[in-house]
Amino acid sequence: MEKIKKIGVMTSGGDAPGMNAAIRAVVRTCAYHNIDCVGIYRGYEGMMQGDFIDLNARSVKGIINKGGTFLKSARSIEFRTKEGRQKAYNALRAANIDALVTIGGDGTFTGAMIFNQEFDFPVIGIPGTIDNDIFGTSHTLGYDTALNTVVEVIDKIRDTASSHNRLFFVEVMGRDVGHIALNVGVGAGAEEILIPEEDLGLDRLLESLVRSKESGKSSSIVVVAEGDKIGKSVFELKDYVEEHMPEYDVRVSVLGHMQRGGSPSCFDRVLASRMGVKAVESLLDGKSNYMVGLLCDKIALTPLDRAIKGQSKINKELIRVSDIMTT
């Protein structure tokens, strides 16, 4: 690997709180090591078009507390083609960029891994996605912030539920994994938690709600991950419960993209800073095709192919805790 003199940094895929903090860490670590840094607007789409901006330590002041990503994010169909990736490589070389830090999820990492294989271009990934669905890290950037955002919202929904004797189905993000639903369900004291990893079934859901009603509960909160397999949608669950428990006034709240927004938590700001430093220094140490992650509270490297192909595991102990807490 040639000596790295200039590093590009980009965000891709869905935005997540902490991405700006990670960009800041990458830029300032480059400055610390006297390496030039270039920001790439709009992910791979901007890379192909050479939409670059020179960054220095002062360029990233005042962004550590900002949600989203000031470099913007986009999904690129063209980059999935060999011609598109060649176009991106040509743009990077024309700008004398020697290595790349990509911040995003598995789609971002897949693109980075293929790009590395085709052009032997040094890449390091930083996991940024609120779903926490990346193998090789206990926490992805934005996950902790999303948990705090959702718990705060559910606390407010409970005020309304208890005031009107209502049952609320609250749908949270989590298409493939239930990390958000499980953690906020326990943290917000939900009466039931529905996640893709545990198929509760409609009958068991009904039995649980009946038990809650018989125990004296006049209102209930059910947290549902969007990828839960019980019903075709959270609205189908609502209809089913209304049909079998007409005494309940059932409402649905789909939290949607509000979960991605907001100022990152202290945890995410610190994590982003640690990951950004590790990403740059790993490239300078000659490492490539890795993802930076948090394992046992230590920053570690996982090969990109393992990060992409591996599956993040749901916390079985927390599932048992939730079963006990909903008794």
Side-chain angles (χ1 to χ4, degrees):
M1 185 182 296
E2 297 180 5
K3 179 175 172 58
I4 292 174
K5 299 178 181 177
K6 183 182 289 188
I7 292 176
V9 59
M10 53 165 270
T11 52
S12 177
D15 63 288
M19 281 184 164
N20 278 328
I23 296 167
R24 173 181 179 270
V26 168
V27 173
R28 293 198 169 178
T29 306
C30 285
Y32 179 83
H33 290 284
N34 296 314
I35 301 294
D36 292 333
C37 190
V38 172
I40 301 170
Y41 283 115
R42 298 176 294 109
Y44 293 121
E45 192 69 20
M47 188 189 300
M48 291 185 296
Q49 297 173 15
D51 194 2
F52 306 150
I53 180 174
D54 291 332
L55 298 174
N56 57 45
R58 301 284 70 79
S59 302
V60 291
K61 67 178 181 180
I63 68 168
I64 193 171
N65 62 322
K66 305 295 184 185
T69 163
F70 87 92
L71 287 178
K72 310 298 182 184
S73 186
R75 303 183 192 277
S76 176
I77 295 176
E78 186 180 358
F79 188 80
R80 297 177 187 176
T81 67
K82 182 142 185 152
E83 295 75 18
R85 293 189 292 273
Q86 181 67 57
K87 189 175 173 182
Y89 177 76
N90 293 343
L92 290 175
R93 297 313 299 166
N96 296 316
I97 296 173
D98 305 309
L100 195 61
V101 175
T102 61
I103 306 169
D106 56 0
T108 302
F109 296 158
T110 299
M113 183 179 69
I114 295 172
F115 192 71
N116 169 265
Q117 292 169 350
E118 290 181 345
F119 301 103
D120 194 27
F121 198 88
V123 295
I124 293 286
I126 293 177
T129 168
I130 69 166
D131 286 348
N132 203 43
D133 58 352
I134 302 293
F135 179 82
T137 185
S138 61
H139 289 75
T140 56
L141 292 184
Y143 174 55
D144 183 72
T145 303
L147 293 182
N148 286 297
T149 298
V150 175
V151 165
E152 184 178 352
V153 171
I154 293 177
D155 286 346
K156 293 177 179 178
I157 289 174
R158 186 176 290 282
D159 292 342
T160 293
S162 59
S163 297
H164 297 273
N165 294 342
R166 285 175 178 160
L167 164 63
F168 268 87
F169 283 103
V170 181
E171 184 185 270
V172 300
M173 284 186 170
R175 185 180 59 224
D176 301 312
V177 294
H179 294 298
I180 292 178
L182 180 58
N183 280 268
V184 302
V186 172
E191 278 65 41
E192 198 57 72
I193 304 167
L194 308 181
I195 57 177
E197 294 86 349
E198 296 282 314
D199 189 358
L200 184 65
L202 287 170
D203 290 338
R204 278 189 58 199
L205 171 62
L206 209 62
E207 289 172 8
S208 175
L209 293 174
V210 169
R211 284 197 305 272
S212 294
K213 195 76 172 175
E214 290 175 347
S215 70
K217 292 182 179 178
S218 59
S219 63
S220 291
I221 299 287
V222 178
V223 177
V224 186
E226 62 180 317
D228 177 66
K229 306 297 192 297
I230 291 182
K232 294 179 182 177
S233 73
V234 67
F235 296 98
E236 184 179 279
L237 295 178
K238 170 184 179 294
D239 294 340
Y240 183 82
V241 171
E242 282 183 329
E243 179 183 347
H244 292 83
M245 299 183 72
E247 66 273 22
Y248 264 130
D249 181 8
V250 187
R251 301 296 172 92
V252 171
S253 283
V254 178
L255 301 190
H257 286 80
M258 67 172 293
Q259 297 162 83
R260 284 187 180 173
S263 180
S265 65
C266 180
F267 181 91
D268 275 329
R269 298 181 199 192
V270 173
L271 180 62
S273 300
R274 295 174 71 187
M275 286 181 168
V277 170
K278 182 68 172 180
V280 171
E281 294 188 339
S282 294
L283 286 170
L284 297 181
D285 286 341
K287 294 182 174 62
S288 176
N289 218 23
Y290 286 95
M291 181 198 77
V292 179
L294 183 70
L295 295 173
C296 301
D297 200 34
K298 294 186 182 299
I299 300 298
L301 296 177
T302 297
L304 279 180
D305 62 339
R306 288 192 63 200
I308 295 164
K309 296 175 183 176
Q311 288 187 324
S312 63
K313 302 293 185 183
I314 202 74
N315 189 329
K316 295 291 185 181
E317 186 224 354
L318 198 53
I319 290 177
R320 182 169 180 271
V321 169
S322 72
D323 289 340
I324 294 172
M325 292 298 103
T326 56
T327 300

